[in-house]
Amino acid sequence: MLFEYALKCLLLSAFLELVLYRLASRLGMHMAKLAEESEVVRITFQTLSSLGFVLLNVTAILLFLVLALVLIQKLQSSAWSGRYDRLLIPAVSFLVALTVAYLIVPPAMLGAVVYNAVSAVVLLLLAAECLETNHRWSQRVTVGCFVLGIFGWIYYQTVSTTYGLLGVVNPPPLVNEVSRGGEALMVLASILVLWSYGSTSLLTKNRTQRKWALTLLVSGGLVFGSLLFIDFFLSLYDPALAEDARQAGQGIGWVFQMGMGYTFYLPFALYLAGLTCWAYTVIKLVAIGRLAGYGLGLMFMAGYALQLSHLTLMVVVGLTLLTLDKRGTLGKLRDRAGVALSRAATPALGAL
């Protein structure tokens, strides 16, 4: 029960932290002139940023709690254990301990390189376990795209920091190309989650599911096509309006770049398609209690740029939940824990 409610609170807290802290505070910086002219706007953004900072701390605490519960269950219950636990449990424990240590003593460049290296090892182990557990190729492709995308950011961050630590002036090799490729893979993974985790066959006998699938397919295709050519259509209608739309898009891109690491160098329609597919899949899976819904929610809410330590832990928890999804829904895991507890208590009651 503690794991279930902690996970639900974590998903909600992470979403609110993303909106109120990482996005709203950056939007307030972008609207600095308007905030200077209006006291109400300034107080609003200041309040949202302060609330978001509190939510950041709440999210970090919940992440530590969920990870601790998962590690304890892996040690105690065979239903939670996996093939890579002998390496994974100490690696995740060391990453958590390193995170706590860096919260007390902020790391320098060398500490950041060490943290990225440990994170890379943990993510590799989690990816290997997840790929082995998920036998559907669609899910393997999605997880592979996501992990490769995250490693694009880790490569960019680690190599750039190492060059700065060594005092090398020359730019690292292929650092920008790898970073852009990682962002493209992240966007692709956000679109593929609908195919691998949330799709409904059009040949299903359930009329309601078939209706929703057709509605999403048709409406999503129309919106995607419209956004893909919106700049061309606006240019034909009014060049000045098209220029204003481009500037607005650049402003949105700046906010998301500062908050989540996306540069929006790809067509805007791809990002919106990824957001739609991800949101639909997460809501659908969470509604039926699938751990994969919580995992996918945390993984993509962490964003592309893992600049804060709790964002790395969000990805770790997300990949862990994708693996545990094969063990059953939250309800089934709770029932199994209740049965195991009652069996453990039976001899003691009988002895009395």
Side-chain angles (χ1 to χ4, degrees), residues 282-347:
V282 169
I283 293 174
K284 177 182 178 180
L285 296 180
V286 168
I288 59 178
R290 289 276 300 276
L291 291 173
Y294 295 90
L296 291 172
L298 293 173
M299 287 162 56
F300 286 96
M301 281 192 291
Y304 176 56
L306 307 179
Q307 297 177 341
L308 302 174
S309 57
H310 79 286
L311 301 180
T312 303
L313 295 183
M314 284 173 64
V315 177
V316 171
V317 172
L319 288 173
T320 303
L321 294 175
L322 286 187
T323 303
L324 293 176
D325 183 67
K326 295 301 179 182
R327 272 64 168 182
T329 62
L330 278 174
K332 290 182 178 179
L333 290 176
R334 183 176 64 249
D335 295 339
R336 290 176 184 174
V339 171
L341 185 61
S342 63
R343 288 179 177 175
T346 300

Side-chain angles (χ1 to χ4, degrees), residues 151-343:
F151 270 89
W153 163 256
I154 293 178
Y155 173 82
Y156 170 81
Q157 189 73 5
T158 304
V159 174
S160 300
T161 306
T162 303
Y163 268 52
L165 180 63
L166 298 176
V168 180
V169 181
N170 297 328
L174 301 176
V175 65
N176 292 322
E177 290 78 5
V178 172
S179 178
R180 285 175 172 259
E183 180 178 343
L185 287 172
M186 285 284 290
V187 175
L188 177 60
S190 66
I191 297 175
L192 291 177
V193 294
L194 179 64
W195 168 52
S196 56
Y197 286 95
S199 61
T200 301
S201 175
L202 297 178
L203 302 178
T204 180
K205 297 181 179 179
N206 190 314
R207 294 183 178 180
T208 303
Q209 291 185 357
R210 186 167 63 245
K211 177 183 176 181
W212 278 107
L214 286 172
T215 302
L216 181 65
L217 181 63
V218 174
S219 60
L222 291 175
V223 173
F224 178 79
S226 301
L227 288 175
L228 198 60
F229 299 100
I230 189 171
D231 187 75
F232 174 73
F233 294 143
L234 288 177
S235 300
L236 295 178
Y237 176 73
D238 187 354
L241 182 61
E243 183 63 27
D244 292 339
R246 294 190 194 101
Q247 292 180 358
Q250 291 175 359
I252 295 174
W254 183 84
V255 172
F256 275 85
Q257 181 179 2
M258 295 294 294
M260 301 184 68
Y262 292 110
T263 62
F264 277 65
Y265 78 95
L266 296 171
F268 180 74
L270 294 176
Y271 294 94
L272 186 61
L275 176 62
T276 304
C277 294
W278 167 81
Y280 173 82
T281 304
V282 169
I283 293 174
K284 177 182 178 180
L285 296 180
V286 168
I288 59 178
R290 289 276 300 276
L291 291 173
Y294 295 90
L296 291 172
L298 293 173
M299 287 162 56
F300 286 96
M301 281 192 291
Y304 176 56
L306 307 179
Q307 297 177 341
L308 302 174
S309 57
H310 79 286
L311 301 180
T312 303
L313 295 183
M314 284 173 64
V315 177
V316 171
V317 172
L319 288 173
T320 303
L321 294 175
L322 286 187
T323 303
L324 293 176
D325 183 67
K326 295 301 179 182
R327 272 64 168 182
T329 62
L330 278 174
K332 290 182 178 179
L333 290 176
R334 183 176 64 249
D335 295 339
R336 290 176 184 174
V339 171
L341 185 61
S342 63
R343 288 179 177 175

Side-chain angles (χ1 to χ4, degrees), residues 28-50:
M29 295 168 58
H30 187 66
M31 301 176 64
K33 293 183 178 180
L34 181 60
E36 292 177 358
E37 298 174 357
S38 176
E39 186 70 13
V40 176
V41 175
R42 185 186 68 81
I43 295 176
T44 300
F45 279 108
Q46 186 176 1
T47 304
L48 291 177
S49 298
S50 301

Side-chain angles (χ1 to χ4, degrees), residues 43-61:
I43 295 176
T44 300
F45 279 108
Q46 186 176 1
T47 304
L48 291 177
S49 298
S50 301
L51 181 59
F53 185 74
V54 173
L55 287 168
L56 184 148
N57 294 322
V58 173
T59 302
I61 294 172

